[in-house]
Amino acid sequence: MIKLSPSILSANLSNLGKDIKDLEKFGADMVHIDVMDGRFVPNISFGMPIIKAVRGISNLIFDVHLMIEEPSKYIDEFAKSGADIITIHYESDIHIDRTIKYIKSLGKKAGIAINPATPVSVLECIIQELDMVLIMSVNPGFGGQSFIDYTLNKIKEIKLLSEKCNPSLMIEVDGGINKDNIKSIVKAGANVIVAGSSVFKNEEIEKNISILKEGI
Ligand code: DX5
Ligand code: ZN
């Protein structure tokens, strides 16, 4: 079963509560929340107060993608704010094994994201500890970029590795996904699809979600 995790980076932030309710109403499985600190990535988005504010209005799984330096410092606060899955970047944490174990000790699901140019092989030792791997298919920082084609092979590689070492692994892909490429991404092995601009385009959430689902 393929899950859809729309990224609220592209939502109408002046009416975020409504957009999140609409996601649930129109068949999304998760809400993808992109946290950016202006250091790990060039952009700044939102943090714990926003997550806390919308937690009470949605039953969807909160899929929190931390694009921040030193994520280990903030795990407690993101857990308290209502995250269900906390994903940190391989590139931003030297002691990532410790941080992953800490996330799980708080009863949350733990994921590692890798940038487009980071090879899948860096995950070999830790894959059994993970609930999710997030393959970035754009350079993180902004919505609306184009899918980087060579990341398709990385999805195939992580799928093979997960079949061998962790069959229940969630394989999430994030960046530049639309109705035209979603099928090949799922075929390569993704089972959680992040989509920002293609879900919120023209504020037609219902129509856009159904078009994406038809494309799978
Ligand atoms: C990029 C973010 C993505 C982004 C996806 O740094 O991690 O989640 O919002 O947006 P689209 O689907 O528009 O590429
Ligand atoms: Zn993301």
Side-chain angles (χ1 to χ4, degrees):
M1 153 82 178
I2 309 301
K3 290 192 158 56
L4 187 63
S5 187
S7 164
I8 55 168
L9 196 60
S10 299
N12 176 358
L13 295 183
S14 70
N15 215 345
L16 183 59
K18 180 183 181 291
D19 274 10
I20 289 179
K21 283 185 184 153
D22 279 355
L23 292 180
E24 192 161 353
K25 190 155 116 200
F26 300 133
D29 304 283
M30 302 184 182
V31 187
H32 185 82
I33 303 173
D34 286 307
V35 177
M36 304 179 180
D37 66 351
R39 289 177 66 215
F40 181 69
V41 289
N43 199 5
I44 298 178
S45 59
F46 28 70
M48 314 78 168
I50 298 289
I51 300 175
K52 206 169 174 181
V54 292
R55 179 67 279 186
I57 61 148
S58 176
N59 292 315
L60 291 173
I61 296 165
F62 275 22
D63 167 31
V64 176
H65 176 194
L66 297 183
M67 285 161 276
I68 62 176
E69 294 287 356
E70 300 188 83
S72 60
K73 282 189 178 173
Y74 304 98
I75 299 304
D76 277 320
E77 286 183 72
F78 281 106
K80 271 191 226 139
S81 71
D84 296 303
I85 306 170
I86 300 178
T87 298
I88 55 178
H89 266 261
Y90 170 79
E91 301 85 359
S92 72
D93 191 344
I94 301 165
H95 303 293
I96 204 155
D97 173 79
R98 182 187 291 145
T99 312
I100 289 297
K101 286 180 176 142
Y102 189 64
I103 294 170
K104 290 170 72 174
S105 77
L106 298 175
K108 305 295 179 181
K109 294 210 183 317
I112 295 183
I114 56 172
N115 282 338
T118 301
V120 165
S121 57
V122 301
L123 300 170
E124 276 170 16
C125 295
I126 198 168
I127 189 166
Q128 277 155 319
E129 305 290 326
L130 300 177
D131 298 295
M132 176 185 272
V133 164
L134 168 48
I135 303 287
M136 287 305 302
S137 44
V138 296
N139 289 294
F142 303 95
Q145 305 180 77
S146 300
F147 187 88
I148 298 172
D149 286 331
Y150 71 71
T151 62
L152 210 55
N153 276 332
K154 293 174 64 183
I155 304 168
K156 292 178 189 161
E157 282 177 46
I158 192 73
K159 173 71 176 163
L160 281 176
L161 201 60
S162 89
E163 275 166 2
K164 207 164 68 175
C165 309
N166 183 352
S168 60
L169 184 74
M170 289 181 273
I171 300 176
E172 181 172 60
V173 181
D174 181 6
I177 302 181
N178 55 45
K179 65 175 175 32
D180 300 320
N181 59 17
I182 192 167
K183 205 184 199 87
S184 57
I185 293 158
V186 168
K187 198 167 160 236
N191 52 30
V192 184
I193 297 292
V194 178
S197 29
S198 59
V199 164
F200 292 99
K201 197 172 59 181
N202 304 325
E203 303 202 16
E204 295 179 311
I205 296 174
E206 180 175 16
K207 180 176 151 206
N208 293 336
I209 287 182
S210 76
I211 290 173
L212 278 174
K213 286 190 162 179
E214 277 163 26
I216 293 174

